[in-house]
Every structure is written in C-alpha cells, then in structure tokens.
Amino acid sequence: MTEKLTNATIITEFLLMGFTDDQVLQGLYVQFFFLSYLTALMGNLLIVILTTTDRRLQSPMYFFLKNLSLIDICYISVTVPKSIINSLTKSHSISFLGCASQIFLFIFLAGTEYALLIVMSYDRYVAICHPLYYETIMNRGTCLQMVTASWASGCVYGSIHVAGTFSVHFCGPYIVHQFFCDIPSVLTLACSGEQILEYAFVIASFTFAFVCFLFLIASYVYIFSAVLRIPSAQGRFKTFSTCIPHLTVVILFLFSGIANYLGTNSKSASSLNLFMSVLYSVLPPSLNPLIYSLRNKDMKAALGKILGGKLLLNI
C-alpha cells in the first residue's frame, strides 16, 4: 500500500496511446482530425458571427444556437489539437495537470451542451404549443437565465467528476488507451477498489441525465401532438421541420456518448471504443453547423448577405 501511495504522489504524466504507431495510418488520422477541427471551427464561428450581426437572427432559437456553437468550438478544442500535436511530434505524453484539466473541460462542456439541448427542446415546445405566449415566456431575461444555468450546471458537473476521478491512487502503468484523457480510460489505471466514489458520481449523473431526458421526451410528445392537430400536410411539415435539426443533434450527441461510456473498458486498446470516442467528441461539433443551417433559409440569407449574393438561397 505504501508503494501505491508513493507512486501516486510522484506521477507527473500519462501516455496517450489511443491510435496505432503505423506511419500511414497516423498520417490519415492527423488529416482527418485536422479537417474535422477546421470544419468545426469555421462552421461554428460563422454561426456565431451570423447570429450576432444579422438582425433577423435575434430570436431565442438563434441565441441558444450561438451558445451551442461557442460550446462546440471549446468542446473540440479540448481534445483534438493536443492529439494532432502529439502525433506530429511523435510524443504521447500529457501532464498530470493537463490530463485533469482535459477531463474537467471535456465533461464541463459536454454537460453544458446537454443542458442547453434540453433548454432548446423547451424553446421548441413553447414556440409550437404556445405560439401566442412565446415572446412573453421566452423573453430575453429568461433566455439569459437558462443559458447561465446551463453553463453553471456543466461547471458543477465537470468539477464533481474530476474530483471523483483524481481522488483515487494510480498503480500504473500510466498508459491511457485513448487519444485524450477521459474518465473510463483513466479509471482503469486506478488501484483496485478505489473507483467506488467516481462510479457513484457516474451513477448519480446518469440518473439525473435520464430525468432530464424524460423532460426532453415529454416536450416532444406535446410537440408531436400539436403538429398532428395542424390541418394541412404542408403546415405540419413546415412546423416540424424546425425541430428536425435539434432532434438530429440530440440523437447524435446522446447515443454516441452513451454507447461509448457503457462500452467495455479495459486496459488495452479497443477499436470500437476509439471509434465511438471519435464519433461523440469530434463529429457533433463538426456536423452541428451543417445540420442547423443546411435547410434554414434565414441562415442562408444572412450568409448570402455577407457574401454579397443570393446564390445560397437556391440550394
């Protein structure tokens, strides 16, 4: 036991060994991550600029979308740049403090995004089920409070989990079979029987997240029932189409994350776990701008105004 405690006090870094050392595959991986990061950065920055400068994009829906884009920029920046740099420099190390910071920021931003998606579902519920009271209910003060609560809940969520994860003693070897520090991979390095506190936090978090998920489901049950009462098929489609981007993002974000965290965690690399980690940590921030703006005429009109043309309106 003394040796374990000693090892825990002198640990200075972890080794991130998520991907193969094959040079060809490393090159492909770097290119994919770089293009994904560039896509996420440009797409989300464009949404932030458009929703800030265009007067037509000042409704609560676009205010929440701007915050979602800011979260996604930070979310992908926590993991991808470090992984690219490690691959290019052929270094696999990350400091103990860097690993703890990465876990905190990743969980903080993931928790904030989840809370914001719940808020956005409520926004769609009010807009469709109570359109006459929409501006009164979703006033600027209420929207600011909802966004602040989302960021605050994410911060608390991240703080609890980083404290639980790093309250354990690590017995080595300090090799994380992942391309970034995440809770399941780091906990496999803990001494036997010391993961109980963090596992309790995880169970409590999943329980709370499930309750929030039920709230989201309830919102869409009311939305579906309201849409079905619209007499014309065109009206039903037009109304429900405002919810399709949100539903797509929720499904992509939730189910990829659940599949990853409920997957088999071991002290050896798993291609499936790595794939799921890439899916939920890289693809949502890259695809969200495309999902929300592809068929949104207001977004395309605002972009066309910046570019000085109307080409996008015909897409």
Side-chain angles (χ1 to χ4, degrees):
M1 183 66 180
T2 303
E3 183 181 353
K4 291 179 182 179
L5 292 175
T6 303
N7 288 341
T9 58
I10 65 174
I11 181 174
T12 59
E13 65 179 21
F14 294 94
L15 295 178
L16 300 175
M17 304 294 290
F19 291 97
T20 177
D21 289 327
D22 183 275
Q23 293 301 312
V24 176
L25 292 178
Q26 279 282 349
L28 292 174
Y29 143 71
V30 169
Q31 291 177 40
F32 170 74
F33 266 35
F34 178 75
L35 290 175
S36 297
Y37 184 65
L38 199 61
T39 300
L41 207 60
M42 293 177 63
N44 285 293
L45 276 175
L46 185 60
I47 286 180
V48 171
I49 292 170
L50 292 177
T51 53
T52 301
T53 59
D54 196 285
R55 296 182 63 181
R56 290 169 295 183
L57 305 180
Q58 301 304 311
S59 67
M61 181 179 74
Y62 294 111
F63 174 67
F64 296 137
L65 180 57
K66 176 166 63 177
N67 276 271
L68 182 66
S69 293
L70 288 171
I71 292 169
D72 282 339
I73 290 171
C74 300
Y75 184 70
I76 196 170
S77 297
V78 170
T79 58
V80 172
K82 173 65 176 174
S83 185
I84 292 175
I85 291 171
N86 279 3
S87 294
L88 292 176
T89 59
K90 294 179 171 53
S91 169
H92 300 290
S93 64
I94 183 171
S95 68
F96 184 89
L97 181 60
C99 186
S101 299
Q102 203 171 58
I103 286 180
F104 167 73
L105 290 172
F106 188 79
I107 299 299
F108 162 41
L109 293 165
T112 302
E113 179 156 344
Y114 181 63
L116 190 61
L117 289 173
I118 300 297
V119 168
M120 292 173 78
S121 72
Y122 178 72
D123 171 70
R124 292 298 83 209
Y125 159 75
V126 176
I128 293 173
C129 298
H130 304 284
L132 297 179
Y133 301 98
Y134 181 71
E135 291 186 3
T136 302
I137 297 174
M138 301 301 294
N139 59 69
R140 183 172 180 81
T142 300
C143 292
L144 284 172
Q145 290 175 1
M146 288 179 169
V147 168
T148 302
S150 298
W151 284 93
S153 62
C155 185
V156 172
Y157 189 61
S159 300
I160 289 173
H161 282 289
V162 77
T165 302
F166 289 93
S167 65
V168 305
H169 300 115
F170 298 100
C171 294
Y174 307 121
I175 299 175
V176 178
H177 291 286
Q178 187 60 275
F179 68 92
F180 67 99
C181 284
D182 71 338
I183 293 174
S185 299
V186 171
L187 283 181
T188 61
L189 311 180
C191 300
S192 179
E194 296 205 5
Q195 306 98 324
I196 296 176
L197 178 61
E198 175 55 19
Y199 285 158
F201 286 155
V202 169
I203 293 171
S205 297
F206 268 106
T207 302
F208 180 72
F210 181 71
V211 172
C212 293
F213 181 71
L214 292 179
F215 176 81
L216 187 149
I217 294 297
S219 297
Y220 271 97
V221 168
Y222 282 107
I223 288 172
F224 289 148
S225 62
V227 168
L228 291 175
R229 288 196 297 269
I230 298 174
S232 68
Q234 184 178 0
R236 288 195 295 270
F237 176 77
K238 184 178 180 180
T239 302
F240 186 67
S241 65
T242 63
C243 302
I244 292 176
H246 179 260
L247 270 177
T248 305
V249 170
V250 168
I251 292 170
L252 180 64
F253 179 78
L254 282 184
F255 285 93
S256 59
I258 291 171
N260 181 75
Y261 277 87
L262 294 183
T264 302
N265 297 310
S266 62
K267 294 188 177 182
S268 60
S270 166
S271 298
L272 179 60
N273 282 350
L274 288 173
F275 172 76
M276 296 307 299
S277 296
V278 171
L279 184 65
Y280 87 93
S281 63
V282 177
L283 290 190
S286 303
L287 295 179
N288 284 357
L290 185 64
I291 292 170
Y292 271 102
S293 60
L294 185 62
R295 303 306 299 173
N296 189 306
K297 291 183 179 180
D298 290 335
M299 293 289 290
K300 289 192 291 185
L303 181 58
K305 183 179 178 181
I306 287 181
L307 297 177
K310 299 182 180 180
L311 178 63
L312 290 173
L313 292 176
N314 297 320
I315 298 177

